Amino acid sequence: MRRLWLPTRRRDESGSAVVEFVWLGILLLVPLVWIVLSVFEVQRGAFAVSAAARAAGRAYALAPDEQTARQRATEAARRTLEDQGAPDMPLEVEVTCSLGRGQCLAGTSVVTVTIRSGVELPAMPEVFRDARTDFALESVHRVPIGQYVEGVSG
């Protein structure tokens, strides 16, 4: 049996590489931009939490008594987060002392301030959030109280 050669029509594919490039570019670029924005957001939050821990530790160490110290530490941490552009970040301040409660501001004590917070990743759907922050952050700062402290009674 003899086959007849029939000319086939060829599609004109000029310009299709540009279309494919644009679609692949969009499909790859959108996740890449989201990843970069998320990394920047987490880094901003990490800097804010670290600065808040330092500020809270200093405020605690310079206070006249422990009750005032805890209030000042929390307020210093909150203001530092606001200064870093993160006023809506959750804030948990925990203060512990090497000599125990009631002796935090006594000489030779070491005050440990722990700040816990978190950031929400940009453009994350509510379905995946589960009513919590997307990325938890924590920072610890230790402040030694000098041996010779003025005005602290034991």
Side-chain angles (χ1 to χ4, degrees), residues 39-141:
V39 167
F40 287 157
E41 187 68 19
V42 169
Q43 188 64 41
R44 182 181 66 88
F47 284 145
V49 170
S50 177
R54 280 194 318 270
R58 289 178 188 143
Y60 193 96
L62 295 175
D65 58 68
E66 287 191 33
Q67 182 179 3
T68 306
R70 288 187 188 277
Q71 293 170 354
R72 287 184 184 179
T74 302
E75 183 61 28
R78 174 57 55 204
R79 286 187 185 220
T80 303
L81 289 180
E82 289 173 5
D83 287 346
Q84 295 289 328
D88 55 343
M89 285 176 61
L91 176 65
E92 181 185 331
V93 180
E94 180 185 337
V95 179
T96 57
C97 305
S98 62
L99 297 180
R101 195 171 196 136
Q103 296 294 318
C104 287
L105 297 175
T108 70
S109 177
V110 177
V111 177
T112 303
V113 178
T114 305
I115 303 288
R116 290 184 188 87
S117 187
V119 294
E120 293 181 0
L121 300 179
M124 179 68 79
E126 283 295 324
V127 174
F128 300 123
R129 288 187 193 259
D130 196 26
R132 59 179 168 76
T133 56
D134 298 324
F135 201 88
L137 298 169
E138 181 177 311
S139 182
V140 177
H141 185 70

